[in-house]
Short mmCIF file of all heavy atoms in Angstrom, two decimals:
data_model
loop_
_atom_site.label_atom_id
_atom_site.label_comp_id
_atom_site.label_asym_id
_atom_site.label_seq_id
_atom_site.Cartn_x
_atom_site.Cartn_y
_atom_site.Cartn_z
N ILE A 138 -14.10 -3.16 5.61
CA ILE A 138 -14.13 -1.71 5.48
C ILE A 138 -14.11 -1.05 6.86
O ILE A 138 -13.42 -0.04 7.07
CB ILE A 138 -15.36 -1.26 4.67
CG1 ILE A 138 -15.22 -1.72 3.21
CG2 ILE A 138 -15.52 0.27 4.72
CD1 ILE A 138 -16.44 -1.42 2.35
N VAL A 139 -14.85 -1.63 7.81
CA VAL A 139 -14.84 -1.10 9.18
C VAL A 139 -13.43 -1.16 9.75
O VAL A 139 -12.96 -0.20 10.38
CB VAL A 139 -15.81 -1.89 10.07
CG1 VAL A 139 -15.61 -1.52 11.54
CG2 VAL A 139 -17.26 -1.61 9.67
N GLU A 140 -12.71 -2.27 9.52
CA GLU A 140 -11.34 -2.40 10.01
C GLU A 140 -10.43 -1.33 9.41
O GLU A 140 -9.66 -0.68 10.13
CB GLU A 140 -10.79 -3.78 9.66
CG GLU A 140 -9.35 -3.99 10.10
CD GLU A 140 -8.73 -5.28 9.58
OE1 GLU A 140 -9.38 -5.96 8.76
OE2 GLU A 140 -7.59 -5.60 9.98
N LEU A 141 -10.53 -1.13 8.09
CA LEU A 141 -9.69 -0.13 7.43
C LEU A 141 -10.05 1.28 7.89
O LEU A 141 -9.17 2.11 8.13
CB LEU A 141 -9.84 -0.24 5.92
CG LEU A 141 -9.39 -1.56 5.27
CD1 LEU A 141 -9.60 -1.50 3.77
CD2 LEU A 141 -7.94 -1.87 5.60
N ARG A 142 -11.34 1.55 7.99
CA ARG A 142 -11.80 2.88 8.42
C ARG A 142 -11.32 3.19 9.83
O ARG A 142 -10.83 4.29 10.11
CB ARG A 142 -13.33 2.92 8.36
CG ARG A 142 -13.93 4.27 8.75
CD ARG A 142 -15.42 4.12 9.00
NE ARG A 142 -15.68 3.23 10.14
CZ ARG A 142 -16.89 2.77 10.47
NH1 ARG A 142 -17.93 3.06 9.70
NH2 ARG A 142 -17.05 1.99 11.52
N ASP A 143 -11.44 2.21 10.74
CA ASP A 143 -11.02 2.44 12.12
C ASP A 143 -9.51 2.60 12.21
O ASP A 143 -9.01 3.43 12.99
CB ASP A 143 -11.48 1.28 13.01
CG ASP A 143 -12.99 1.23 13.20
OD1 ASP A 143 -13.66 2.21 12.79
OD2 ASP A 143 -13.48 0.23 13.75
N LEU A 144 -8.77 1.84 11.42
CA LEU A 144 -7.32 1.95 11.41
C LEU A 144 -6.88 3.33 10.95
O LEU A 144 -6.02 3.97 11.56
CB LEU A 144 -6.71 0.86 10.53
CG LEU A 144 -5.18 0.81 10.43
CD1 LEU A 144 -4.55 0.68 11.81
CD2 LEU A 144 -4.75 -0.35 9.52
N HIS A 145 -7.49 3.81 9.86
CA HIS A 145 -7.17 5.15 9.38
C HIS A 145 -7.54 6.21 10.42
O HIS A 145 -6.79 7.17 10.64
CB HIS A 145 -7.89 5.43 8.07
CG HIS A 145 -7.74 6.85 7.58
ND1 HIS A 145 -6.52 7.41 7.27
CD2 HIS A 145 -8.66 7.83 7.38
CE1 HIS A 145 -6.68 8.66 6.88
NE2 HIS A 145 -7.98 8.95 6.94
N GLY A 146 -8.68 6.04 11.08
CA GLY A 146 -9.09 6.99 12.10
C GLY A 146 -8.12 7.04 13.27
O GLY A 146 -7.80 8.12 13.78
N GLN A 147 -7.63 5.88 13.69
CA GLN A 147 -6.66 5.84 14.77
C GLN A 147 -5.36 6.54 14.38
O GLN A 147 -4.75 7.26 15.18
CB GLN A 147 -6.38 4.39 15.16
CG GLN A 147 -7.57 3.67 15.79
CD GLN A 147 -7.41 2.17 15.81
OE1 GLN A 147 -6.31 1.65 15.56
NE2 GLN A 147 -8.48 1.44 16.09
N ILE A 148 -4.93 6.31 13.14
CA ILE A 148 -3.70 6.94 12.66
C ILE A 148 -3.87 8.44 12.58
O ILE A 148 -3.02 9.21 13.02
CB ILE A 148 -3.31 6.36 11.29
CG1 ILE A 148 -2.94 4.89 11.42
CG2 ILE A 148 -2.16 7.15 10.67
CD1 ILE A 148 -2.84 4.16 10.09
N ARG A 149 -5.00 8.87 12.04
CA ARG A 149 -5.27 10.31 11.91
C ARG A 149 -5.29 10.97 13.28
O ARG A 149 -4.74 12.06 13.47
CB ARG A 149 -6.59 10.52 11.19
CG ARG A 149 -6.93 11.99 10.96
CD ARG A 149 -8.14 12.13 10.07
NE ARG A 149 -9.32 11.52 10.70
CZ ARG A 149 -10.50 11.41 10.09
NH1 ARG A 149 -10.64 11.83 8.84
NH2 ARG A 149 -11.52 10.87 10.71
N SER A 150 -5.91 10.30 14.25
CA SER A 150 -5.97 10.86 15.60
C SER A 150 -4.58 10.96 16.22
O SER A 150 -4.22 11.99 16.80
CB SER A 150 -6.87 9.98 16.48
OG SER A 150 -6.87 10.43 17.81
N ARG A 151 -3.79 9.91 16.06
CA ARG A 151 -2.44 9.90 16.65
C ARG A 151 -1.54 10.94 15.99
O ARG A 151 -0.86 11.72 16.67
CB ARG A 151 -1.83 8.50 16.49
CG ARG A 151 -0.40 8.36 17.04
CD ARG A 151 -0.39 8.26 18.55
NE ARG A 151 0.97 8.06 19.04
CZ ARG A 151 1.40 6.97 19.64
NH1 ARG A 151 0.58 5.95 19.82
NH2 ARG A 151 2.64 6.88 20.07
N LEU A 152 -1.54 11.00 14.67
CA LEU A 152 -0.68 11.95 13.97
C LEU A 152 -1.19 13.38 14.11
O LEU A 152 -0.40 14.32 14.12
CB LEU A 152 -0.59 11.58 12.49
CG LEU A 152 0.12 10.27 12.15
CD1 LEU A 152 0.13 10.05 10.65
CD2 LEU A 152 1.54 10.26 12.70
N GLY A 153 -2.49 13.53 14.21
CA GLY A 153 -3.05 14.86 14.33
C GLY A 153 -2.64 15.57 15.60
O GLY A 153 -2.63 16.79 15.67
N LEU A 154 -2.29 14.78 16.63
CA LEU A 154 -1.87 15.37 17.89
C LEU A 154 -0.41 15.80 17.88
O LEU A 154 -0.01 16.69 18.61
CB LEU A 154 -2.07 14.37 19.03
CG LEU A 154 -3.52 13.98 19.35
CD1 LEU A 154 -3.55 12.87 20.39
CD2 LEU A 154 -4.31 15.19 19.84
N THR A 155 0.41 15.18 17.01
CA THR A 155 1.85 15.41 17.06
C THR A 155 2.42 16.03 15.80
O THR A 155 3.35 16.81 15.85
CB THR A 155 2.58 14.08 17.31
OG1 THR A 155 2.24 13.16 16.27
CG2 THR A 155 2.17 13.49 18.66
N LYS A 156 1.87 15.69 14.66
CA LYS A 156 2.42 16.19 13.41
C LYS A 156 1.31 16.27 12.36
O LYS A 156 1.18 15.41 11.50
CB LYS A 156 3.54 15.27 12.91
CG LYS A 156 4.32 15.86 11.74
CD LYS A 156 5.47 14.95 11.34
CE LYS A 156 6.26 15.56 10.19
NZ LYS A 156 7.35 14.68 9.75
N PRO A 157 0.48 17.33 12.45
CA PRO A 157 -0.67 17.42 11.56
C PRO A 157 -0.32 17.68 10.10
O PRO A 157 -1.16 17.50 9.24
CB PRO A 157 -1.47 18.58 12.15
CG PRO A 157 -0.47 19.41 12.87
CD PRO A 157 0.55 18.44 13.40
N ARG A 158 0.92 18.09 9.80
CA ARG A 158 1.30 18.36 8.42
C ARG A 158 2.51 17.50 8.04
O ARG A 158 3.50 17.47 8.75
CB ARG A 158 1.61 19.84 8.21
CG ARG A 158 0.51 20.77 8.67
CD ARG A 158 0.76 22.20 8.27
NE ARG A 158 0.45 22.41 6.88
CZ ARG A 158 0.75 23.53 6.21
NH1 ARG A 158 1.41 24.49 6.81
NH2 ARG A 158 0.41 23.66 4.95
N GLN A 159 2.40 16.83 6.90
CA GLN A 159 3.45 15.93 6.46
C GLN A 159 3.89 16.30 5.04
O GLN A 159 3.06 16.57 4.18
CB GLN A 159 2.93 14.49 6.44
CG GLN A 159 2.31 14.04 7.74
CD GLN A 159 1.38 12.86 7.54
OE1 GLN A 159 1.46 12.17 6.54
NE2 GLN A 159 0.49 12.65 8.48
N ILE A 160 5.19 16.31 4.81
CA ILE A 160 5.72 16.55 3.47
C ILE A 160 5.71 15.22 2.72
O ILE A 160 6.25 14.23 3.21
CB ILE A 160 7.15 17.13 3.52
CG1 ILE A 160 7.13 18.49 4.24
CG2 ILE A 160 7.71 17.28 2.12
CD1 ILE A 160 8.51 19.10 4.41
N LEU A 161 5.10 15.20 1.53
CA LEU A 161 5.00 13.96 0.76
C LEU A 161 6.13 13.88 -0.27
O LEU A 161 6.52 14.90 -0.85
CB LEU A 161 3.65 13.90 0.04
CG LEU A 161 2.43 13.89 0.97
CD1 LEU A 161 1.15 13.87 0.15
CD2 LEU A 161 2.47 12.69 1.90
N PRO A 162 6.65 12.68 -0.51
CA PRO A 162 7.78 12.51 -1.43
C PRO A 162 7.36 12.45 -2.90
O PRO A 162 7.62 11.48 -3.61
CB PRO A 162 8.37 11.17 -0.97
CG PRO A 162 7.18 10.40 -0.52
CD PRO A 162 6.27 11.41 0.14
N ALA A 163 6.70 13.50 -3.38
CA ALA A 163 6.26 13.55 -4.78
C ALA A 163 6.19 15.01 -5.21
O ALA A 163 5.92 15.89 -4.40
CB ALA A 163 4.91 12.87 -4.94
N PRO A 164 6.40 15.31 -6.49
CA PRO A 164 6.38 16.69 -6.96
C PRO A 164 4.95 17.23 -7.12
O PRO A 164 4.01 16.48 -7.40
CB PRO A 164 7.07 16.61 -8.33
CG PRO A 164 6.78 15.21 -8.79
CD PRO A 164 6.81 14.36 -7.55
N CYS A 165 4.81 18.52 -6.93
CA CYS A 165 3.54 19.20 -7.16
C CYS A 165 3.26 19.21 -8.67
O CYS A 165 4.15 19.52 -9.46
CB CYS A 165 3.59 20.63 -6.63
SG CYS A 165 2.19 21.67 -7.11
N PRO A 166 2.04 18.91 -9.11
CA PRO A 166 1.73 18.91 -10.54
C PRO A 166 1.74 20.31 -11.15
O PRO A 166 1.83 20.45 -12.38
CB PRO A 166 0.34 18.29 -10.61
CG PRO A 166 -0.26 18.57 -9.28
CD PRO A 166 0.88 18.50 -8.30
N ALA A 167 1.66 21.35 -10.32
CA ALA A 167 1.62 22.71 -10.84
C ALA A 167 3.01 23.35 -10.94
O ALA A 167 3.39 23.86 -11.98
CB ALA A 167 0.71 23.58 -9.97
N CYS A 168 3.79 23.29 -9.84
CA CYS A 168 5.11 23.95 -9.84
C CYS A 168 6.26 22.96 -9.91
O CYS A 168 7.42 23.37 -10.02
CB CYS A 168 5.25 24.85 -8.62
SG CYS A 168 5.35 23.96 -7.05
N GLU A 169 5.97 21.65 -9.78
CA GLU A 169 6.95 20.57 -9.90
C GLU A 169 7.98 20.54 -8.77
O GLU A 169 8.98 19.85 -8.87
CB GLU A 169 7.67 20.62 -11.26
CG GLU A 169 6.72 20.44 -12.43
CD GLU A 169 7.45 20.37 -13.76
OE1 GLU A 169 8.67 20.59 -13.78
OE2 GLU A 169 6.78 20.08 -14.77
N LEU A 170 7.73 21.30 -7.71
CA LEU A 170 8.61 21.24 -6.55
C LEU A 170 8.10 20.18 -5.57
O LEU A 170 6.90 19.91 -5.52
CB LEU A 170 8.69 22.60 -5.85
CG LEU A 170 9.30 23.74 -6.65
CD1 LEU A 170 9.28 25.04 -5.82
CD2 LEU A 170 10.74 23.42 -7.07
N ARG A 171 9.00 19.60 -4.81
CA ARG A 171 8.59 18.59 -3.83
C ARG A 171 8.17 19.27 -2.53
O ARG A 171 8.81 19.14 -1.49
CB ARG A 171 9.73 17.60 -3.60
CG ARG A 171 10.04 16.74 -4.81
CD ARG A 171 11.15 15.75 -4.55
NE ARG A 171 11.45 14.98 -5.74
CZ ARG A 171 10.87 13.84 -6.06
NH1 ARG A 171 9.96 13.33 -5.24
NH2 ARG A 171 11.18 13.20 -7.17
N THR A 172 7.07 19.99 -2.63
CA THR A 172 6.58 20.76 -1.48
C THR A 172 5.11 20.46 -1.20
O THR A 172 4.37 21.31 -0.72
CB THR A 172 6.76 22.27 -1.75
OG1 THR A 172 6.23 22.61 -3.04
CG2 THR A 172 8.22 22.67 -1.70
N LEU A 173 4.69 19.24 -1.49
CA LEU A 173 3.32 18.85 -1.20
C LEU A 173 3.17 18.54 0.29
O LEU A 173 3.96 17.80 0.86
CB LEU A 173 2.92 17.62 -2.01
CG LEU A 173 2.69 17.82 -3.51
CD1 LEU A 173 2.35 16.49 -4.18
CD2 LEU A 173 1.57 18.83 -3.76
N LEU A 174 2.16 19.12 0.90
CA LEU A 174 1.92 18.92 2.32
C LEU A 174 0.57 18.24 2.52
O LEU A 174 -0.43 18.66 1.93
CB LEU A 174 1.90 20.27 3.06
CG LEU A 174 3.21 21.06 3.06
CD1 LEU A 174 2.98 22.44 3.65
CD2 LEU A 174 4.27 20.32 3.85
N ARG A 175 0.55 17.20 3.31
CA ARG A 175 -0.70 16.54 3.66
C ARG A 175 -1.13 17.02 5.04
O ARG A 175 -0.36 16.94 6.00
CB ARG A 175 -0.52 15.02 3.67
CG ARG A 175 -1.81 14.26 3.97
CD ARG A 175 -1.51 12.80 4.23
NE ARG A 175 -2.73 12.03 4.44
CZ ARG A 175 -2.76 10.83 5.02
NH1 ARG A 175 -1.63 10.28 5.44
NH2 ARG A 175 -3.90 10.19 5.19
N THR A 176 -2.33 17.53 5.14
CA THR A 176 -2.87 18.02 6.40
C THR A 176 -3.86 17.01 6.94
O THR A 176 -4.77 16.59 6.23
CB THR A 176 -3.57 19.38 6.22
OG1 THR A 176 -2.65 20.32 5.67
CG2 THR A 176 -4.09 19.90 7.54
N ILE A 177 -3.69 16.61 8.19
CA ILE A 177 -4.58 15.65 8.83
C ILE A 177 -5.23 16.32 10.03
O ILE A 177 -4.55 16.64 11.01
CB ILE A 177 -3.83 14.39 9.28
CG1 ILE A 177 -3.15 13.71 8.09
CG2 ILE A 177 -4.76 13.41 9.97
CD1 ILE A 177 -2.34 12.50 8.47
N GLU A 178 -6.52 16.55 9.93
CA GLU A 178 -7.29 17.14 11.00
C GLU A 178 -8.63 16.41 11.08
O GLU A 178 -8.99 15.69 10.16
CB GLU A 178 -7.52 18.63 10.73
CG GLU A 178 -6.25 19.46 10.69
CD GLU A 178 -6.52 20.88 10.23
OE1 GLU A 178 -7.55 21.11 9.57
OE2 GLU A 178 -5.70 21.75 10.53
N PRO A 179 -9.38 16.60 12.16
CA PRO A 179 -10.70 15.98 12.22
C PRO A 179 -11.56 16.38 11.02
O PRO A 179 -11.68 17.56 10.69
CB PRO A 179 -11.28 16.53 13.54
CG PRO A 179 -10.09 16.82 14.37
CD PRO A 179 -9.03 17.29 13.41
N HIS A 180 -12.09 15.39 10.32
CA HIS A 180 -12.96 15.60 9.16
C HIS A 180 -12.23 16.29 8.01
O HIS A 180 -12.86 16.89 7.14
CB HIS A 180 -14.21 16.41 9.54
CG HIS A 180 -14.92 15.88 10.75
ND1 HIS A 180 -15.50 14.63 10.78
CD2 HIS A 180 -15.09 16.43 11.99
CE1 HIS A 180 -16.04 14.44 11.99
NE2 HIS A 180 -15.79 15.50 12.73
N ASN A 181 -10.92 16.22 7.99
CA ASN A 181 -10.18 16.87 6.90
C ASN A 181 -8.89 16.11 6.64
O ASN A 181 -8.10 15.88 7.55
CB ASN A 181 -9.86 18.33 7.27
CG ASN A 181 -9.12 19.03 6.14
OD1 ASN A 181 -9.40 18.80 4.97
ND2 ASN A 181 -8.18 19.88 6.49
N ASP A 182 -8.70 15.70 5.41
CA ASP A 182 -7.48 15.01 5.00
C ASP A 182 -7.21 15.46 3.57
O ASP A 182 -7.86 15.01 2.64
CB ASP A 182 -7.67 13.49 5.07
CG ASP A 182 -6.38 12.72 4.87
OD1 ASP A 182 -5.48 13.24 4.19
OD2 ASP A 182 -6.28 11.59 5.36
N GLN A 183 -6.29 16.40 3.40
CA GLN A 183 -6.07 16.96 2.07
C GLN A 183 -4.59 17.13 1.77
O GLN A 183 -3.75 17.11 2.67
CB GLN A 183 -6.77 18.31 1.92
CG GLN A 183 -6.16 19.43 2.77
CD GLN A 183 -6.81 20.77 2.52
OE1 GLN A 183 -7.97 20.84 2.13
NE2 GLN A 183 -6.09 21.84 2.77
N ILE A 184 -4.28 17.28 0.49
CA ILE A 184 -2.92 17.49 0.03
C ILE A 184 -2.86 18.83 -0.70
O ILE A 184 -3.64 19.08 -1.63
CB ILE A 184 -2.47 16.36 -0.91
CG1 ILE A 184 -2.50 15.01 -0.20
CG2 ILE A 184 -1.05 16.62 -1.45
CD1 ILE A 184 -2.21 13.82 -1.10
#
Side-chain angles (χ1 to χ4, degrees):
I138 293 175
V139 169
E140 178 188 8
L141 297 180
R142 181 194 64 190
D143 291 351
L144 181 56
H145 173 61
Q147 293 164 12
I148 294 167
R149 182 172 61 185
S150 176
R151 179 77 178 246
L152 294 180
L154 294 174
T155 58
K156 190 177 181 182
R158 307 188 78 190
Q159 307 159 19
I160 298 177
L161 299 178
C165 170
C168 68
E169 298 185 353
L170 296 179
R171 293 181 182 270
T172 50
L173 288 178
L174 296 172
R175 183 191 184 199
T176 302
I177 301 178
E178 297 172 338
H180 310 296
N181 181 37
D182 189 333
Q183 69 176 26
I184 299 174

